[in-house]
Amino acid sequence: MNEKIIPDIVVGRLPLYLRALQYMLQEGRHVTSSQELGERLGVSAAQIRKDLSQFGEFGKQGTGYGIDSLINEIRQILNLTIDWDVAVVGVGDIGTAVTRYRGFANRGFRVTMIFDSDPAKIGAQVGEFTVQDSANLETVLRTANVQVAMIAVPASEAQQVALQLVSAGVKAILNYAPISLNVPPGICVQYIDPAIHLQRMTYYL
Amino acid sequence: MNEKIIPDIVVGRLPLYLRALQYMLQEGRHVTSSQELGERLGVSAAQIRKDLSQFGEFGKQGTGYGIDSLINEIRQILNLTIDWDVAVVGVGDIGTAVTRYRGFANRGFRVTMIFDSDPAKIGAQVGEFTVQDSANLETVLRTANVQVAMIAVPASEAQQVALQLVSAGVKAILNYAPISLNVPPGICVQYIDPAIHLQRMTYYL
């Protein structure tokens, strides 16, 4: 199903559809329409139908989408049918918050290990995890075959950690450090920087 | 300078340029080029020149950009010449992390008040702030003329908090709750949901 090339912008909308559908399911709903989904998300119904049609036939004219089956389809498209193990590097406020975050449950991810280079933090407990020494990061990740990681170290250390992760076999990095990373082709990086999001809005104020 | 309509995608790249330039300044640099900036950001030099040209004349062919002056120009464009007061609603792990986050300094924002509805949290201290009762949110924000807020409450409460913020006069909301918000036209919303970012990458794994 992933053989045809789908624009990245469409791929980027699928997680939003998935989140809304899972929320509807929690509300006890079982059927929805592109109209209703669009209203929840501030996207047009036509856009949703067009996006989903890239991946095959979902739903029927007049009867709408079965929420359970659409969730399953999107999870398959996004490779979320099993949970990915995630390593967290950096155990400051953000690393701690993200390690304890319960919002990953049922969304395809589970934090399985955390690292820091600060001797005062190594060995400490965060939630159910013991902080491991970043010096062992490559060996530990490679042994456990971890392909997804989150960077929550200071900006000055982030690039070096990114290269360590890549050399450990990590393919997808979510970076909380406020700096752009240089990684080899084929490695995915996404960024979370609240100041960037805020600055984008103040232009309009 | 904001009179001409600039595509939102260009506006969205300016904070990334600003962040890279501020980082260069910290490194003691004073001049850069679209080439160098592009390499740091994984964007073409032509793209950067084209984006900046939308806002006027910056830099000179051959001599590059003065980093200090380009920072000042971008801060003016994005309305970041003074710090915006920011209210945080929800004092769980994420609200706490974002309240204590030092990465807003020198980037146009400062958290000035935090709220929660949990009686066990109201009155507690987080960093330099005392947690205030969400019931007073509208009055307090309106009095202080706060226009920027971050939502860090559970998904089930986020929509109601968003409407409270809007009615208090907030114009820009950064939402950490994993749910899409419905707000009136003219209100800016940006989202931070780490699962969404991770799901967007696993498609490619």
Side-chain angles (χ1 to χ4, degrees):
Chain A
M1 205 175 255
N2 289 358
E3 285 155 31
K4 136 180 182 202
I5 291 185
I6 307 293
D8 182 59
I9 191 144
V10 177
V11 174
R13 281 193 290 261
L14 292 182
L16 299 173
Y17 300 163
L18 180 59
R19 186 174 69 182
L21 289 163
Q22 289 187 309
Y23 206 80
M24 286 178 182
L25 200 64
Q26 274 177 33
E27 292 170 345
R29 309 278 312 284
H30 292 286
V31 179
T32 187
S33 62
S34 51
Q35 190 81 32
E36 186 194 37
L37 198 51
E39 274 164 24
R40 290 219 180 190
L41 294 170
V43 176
S44 75
Q47 177 78 77
I48 290 174
R49 285 195 299 269
K50 194 178 158 208
D51 284 351
L52 294 178
S53 72
Q54 304 244 21
F55 301 96
E57 288 289 320
F58 302 113
K60 286 193 188 123
Q61 189 74 35
T63 62
Y65 299 108
I67 292 176
D68 301 74
S69 68
L70 191 49
I71 286 174
N72 285 335
E73 296 282 359
I74 296 179
R75 292 184 78 133
Q76 271 177 34
I77 293 166
L78 295 176
N79 293 320
L80 298 171
T81 47
I82 52 151
D83 279 354
W84 294 86
D85 290 346
V86 179
V88 173
V89 188
V91 187
D93 282 336
I94 293 173
T96 302
V98 98
T99 298
R100 292 161 44 142
Y101 186 54
R102 281 173 300 223
F104 293 126
N106 205 27
R107 298 183 71 190
F109 305 93
R110 60 170 179 220
V111 172
T112 53
M113 48 181 73
I114 61 175
F115 296 89
D116 204 290
S117 59
D118 179 354
K121 289 181 179 168
I122 296 165
Q125 204 70 14
V126 176
E128 55 187 300
F129 304 104
T130 304
V131 179
Q132 300 185 63
D133 187 342
S134 294
N136 305 327
L137 188 152
E138 290 185 41
T139 320
V140 177
L141 265 68
R142 193 169 283 289
T143 307
N145 192 26
V146 173
Q147 293 180 62
V148 180
M150 296 194 267
I151 295 180
V153 300
S156 55
E157 297 167 28
Q159 177 62 44
Q160 187 227 317
V161 168
L163 295 180
Q164 266 186 289
L165 289 171
V166 169
S167 104
V170 166
K171 300 278 187 295
I173 296 173
L174 180 56
N175 179 31
Y176 281 86
I179 188 169
S180 298
L181 300 176
N182 287 310
V183 292
I187 307 297
C188 297
V189 182
Q190 291 264 313
Y191 295 91
I192 289 186
D193 179 344
I196 292 280
H197 283 88
L198 291 171
Q199 290 175 343
R200 183 173 185 157
M201 294 190 283
T202 51
Y203 173 78
Y204 298 99
L205 296 192
Chain B
M1 204 173 257
N2 289 357
E3 283 156 32
K4 142 181 179 198
I5 292 184
I6 307 292
D8 183 60
I9 191 144
V10 177
V11 174
R13 280 191 291 259
L14 291 181
L16 298 173
Y17 300 164
L18 180 59
R19 186 175 69 184
L21 290 163
Q22 289 187 311
Y23 206 79
M24 286 177 183
L25 200 64
Q26 275 178 34
E27 293 170 345
R29 308 278 312 284
H30 292 286
V31 178
T32 186
S33 62
S34 51
Q35 191 81 33
E36 186 194 37
L37 199 51
E39 276 165 20
R40 289 220 181 191
L41 294 169
V43 176
S44 76
Q47 178 78 78
I48 290 174
R49 285 195 298 270
K50 192 177 159 209
D51 284 351
L52 294 178
S53 73
Q54 305 244 20
F55 301 94
E57 287 290 321
F58 302 113
K60 285 192 189 125
Q61 189 73 35
T63 62
Y65 299 108
I67 291 176
D68 301 74
S69 69
L70 190 49
I71 286 174
N72 285 335
E73 295 282 359
I74 296 179
R75 292 184 78 133
Q76 270 176 36
I77 293 166
L78 295 176
N79 293 321
L80 298 171
T81 48
I82 52 152
D83 278 354
W84 294 86
D85 290 346
V86 179
V88 173
V89 188
V91 188
D93 282 335
I94 293 172
T96 301
V98 98
T99 298
R100 292 162 44 142
Y101 185 55
R102 284 174 298 224
F104 293 127
N106 205 28
R107 297 183 71 190
F109 304 93
R110 60 169 179 221
V111 172
T112 54
M113 47 181 72
I114 61 175
F115 296 89
D116 204 291
S117 59
D118 179 354
K121 288 181 180 167
I122 296 164
Q125 204 71 15
V126 175
E128 55 187 301
F129 305 103
T130 305
V131 180
Q132 300 186 64
D133 187 342
S134 295
N136 304 326
L137 187 152
E138 290 184 42
T139 320
V140 177
L141 264 68
R142 193 169 282 288
T143 307
N145 192 27
V146 172
Q147 294 180 62
V148 180
M150 296 193 268
I151 296 181
V153 301
S156 55
E157 298 167 27
Q159 177 62 44
Q160 187 227 317
V161 168
L163 295 180
Q164 267 186 290
L165 289 170
V166 169
S167 105
V170 166
K171 300 278 186 294
I173 297 173
L174 180 56
N175 179 32
Y176 281 86
I179 188 169
S180 297
L181 301 176
N182 287 310
V183 293
I187 308 296
C188 298
V189 181
Q190 291 264 314
Y191 296 91
I192 289 186
D193 180 345
I196 292 280
H197 284 88
L198 291 171
Q199 290 175 344
R200 185 175 183 155
M201 295 191 283
T202 50
Y203 173 77
Y204 297 100
L205 297 191

